[in-house]
Amino acid sequence: MYDPTRLAALVAVAESGSITRAARRLGYTVPALSQQLAKLEREAGTALLVRHHKGARLTGAGELLVVTARRVLDEMERARHELARLAGLSGGRLRLGTFTTAGTHLLPPALTAFRRAHPDVELTVAGYEPPHGIAAVAAGEVDVALTHAYEPAEPVVVPSSVVQEPLLVEELVLVTAPGHALTAGTAGTARLPLAELSRQPLISMAPTHPPRQGVESALSRAGATPSVRVETPGYALVCALVSAGLGVAVVPEMVARMSATPLGVRRLDPGDLRRTISVVCRADETNPAVDGFRALLRGAFGRTSG
């Protein structure tokens, strides 16, 4: 590999026709530039210049190397511009993956803040229900993704190429129709033992929502057997059915708080049914856009949990 500084010196001589003029153009002394050219000739193993009283001209080998040198220097200049643009977030793109709840309630303010700070970064958003967002990041389909995991549940295997950062841990709570006996008045202020759900029609999304299966098993052990199954991972439909009086459900606290339909809410005992929301990105890649967006997510989730 040739030193780019020496390649630039050769190109300057080729374009100016003189070592003296090339030195002036590059800000070198003539002896210093001559030394660089001599080192380049040693690296090439052949003469690159013929010096004469009027200046210098390229040999055949020199002309061949100048063609390559210009191409290398142009590529390096483009790379410098691209890195500067990326470092300043004055361009480029950020590809996001998200699950439904986060995409509806948490991403919009973070995306608004990111767009305001970096209007030239191209944004794309794709839907990935957990744990598929992790695989999408590992495969390079998206740069960063929001995902979640439930407790109790089998832990999700995260590839070594992916970094996972927890953002928010929230309890799962009981939701009912407004005015329901389990959540109305003073009854709704104390934690409800899970066993009390055994007499209630429970709306469950377990059949098509693998991350929830551990939670559903815990409810089943407490005697709360699902009587209404929702074949979708969307909590909006679950909450709508609960609000309409078709049953009760156990959902993340944020889902209950941000439901578009009116609900009664009550905490459970024990309070060990939880959901952890995390952001994942590739471990081997430095991306200022991803770093900036993760910082905004921390702020957005901090406000949510407060």
Side-chain angles (χ1 to χ4, degrees):
M1 295 293 294
Y2 298 114
D3 187 311
T5 301
R6 294 165 194 161
L7 292 176
L10 183 65
V11 171
V13 173
E15 292 176 350
S16 65
S18 163
I19 293 177
T20 300
R21 288 191 290 273
R24 191 180 304 119
R25 169 177 160 182
L26 296 174
Y28 284 100
T29 64
V30 171
L33 184 62
S34 296
Q35 187 178 39
Q36 292 295 323
L37 293 168
K39 289 180 179 178
L40 183 61
E41 287 182 318
R42 286 197 295 273
E43 289 174 349
T46 186
L48 302 174
L49 294 168
V50 175
R51 297 157 178 83
H52 52 81
H53 67 284
K54 292 184 179 180
R57 64 176 177 82
L58 297 176
T59 64
E63 290 175 351
L64 179 64
L65 186 56
V66 160
V67 173
T68 301
R70 286 194 176 109
R71 186 167 59 248
V72 169
L73 294 171
D74 286 345
E75 288 294 330
M76 291 185 68
E77 185 64 19
R78 278 194 288 271
R80 277 194 291 270
H81 281 298
E82 183 67 18
L83 288 172
R85 180 173 61 81
L86 185 59
L89 295 182
S90 59
R93 66 176 180 174
L94 181 63
R95 300 169 300 165
L96 309 171
T98 183
F99 58 95
T100 304
T101 307
T104 302
H105 300 297
L106 298 174
L107 268 189
L111 286 174
T112 298
F114 187 87
R115 172 66 77 201
R116 189 181 301 117
H118 311 294
D120 297 326
V121 176
E122 176 188 348
L123 292 171
T124 60
V125 181
Y128 291 96
E129 289 302 320
H132 303 303
I134 296 173
V137 169
E141 296 173 11
V142 292
D143 302 307
V144 60
L146 286 167
T147 187
H148 62 55
Y150 285 83
E151 296 177 42
E154 290 295 322
V156 175
V157 177
V158 178
S160 60
S161 61
V162 171
V163 172
Q164 180 170 271
E165 176 188 356
L167 294 171
L168 175 67
V169 180
E170 56 180 339
E171 283 190 32
L172 303 190
V173 296
L174 173 71
V175 290
T176 71
H180 193 285
L182 290 180
T183 54
T186 57
T189 61
R191 286 183 177 268
L192 178 73
L194 284 182
E196 294 295 314
L197 297 180
S198 63
R199 297 186 293 272
Q200 299 295 326
L202 184 69
I203 297 178
S204 167
M205 60 172 59
T208 56
H209 202 249
R212 278 275 309 219
Q213 289 173 354
V215 169
E216 300 297 337
S217 295
L219 292 172
S220 180
R221 288 193 296 273
T225 304
S227 60
V228 180
R229 287 189 169 88
V230 178
E231 301 288 340
T232 172
Y235 276 121
L237 178 55
V238 171
C239 290
L241 296 178
V242 168
S243 184
L246 297 179
V248 301
V250 175
V251 303
E253 191 172 12
M254 181 177 64
V255 171
R257 190 167 64 248
M258 297 182 174
S259 173
T261 52
L263 298 170
V265 181
R266 187 170 177 180
R267 292 184 180 275
L268 296 168
D269 184 30
D272 56 358
L273 303 184
R274 298 186 182 92
R275 179 174 76 166
T276 299
I277 299 177
S278 303
V279 59
V280 294
C281 60
R282 284 184 291 282
D284 58 351
E285 183 176 299
T286 300
N287 187 330
V290 170
D291 293 341
F293 192 70
R294 286 170 66 190
L296 288 172
L297 286 175
R298 293 185 199 107
F301 278 75
R303 288 189 295 273
T304 299
S305 60

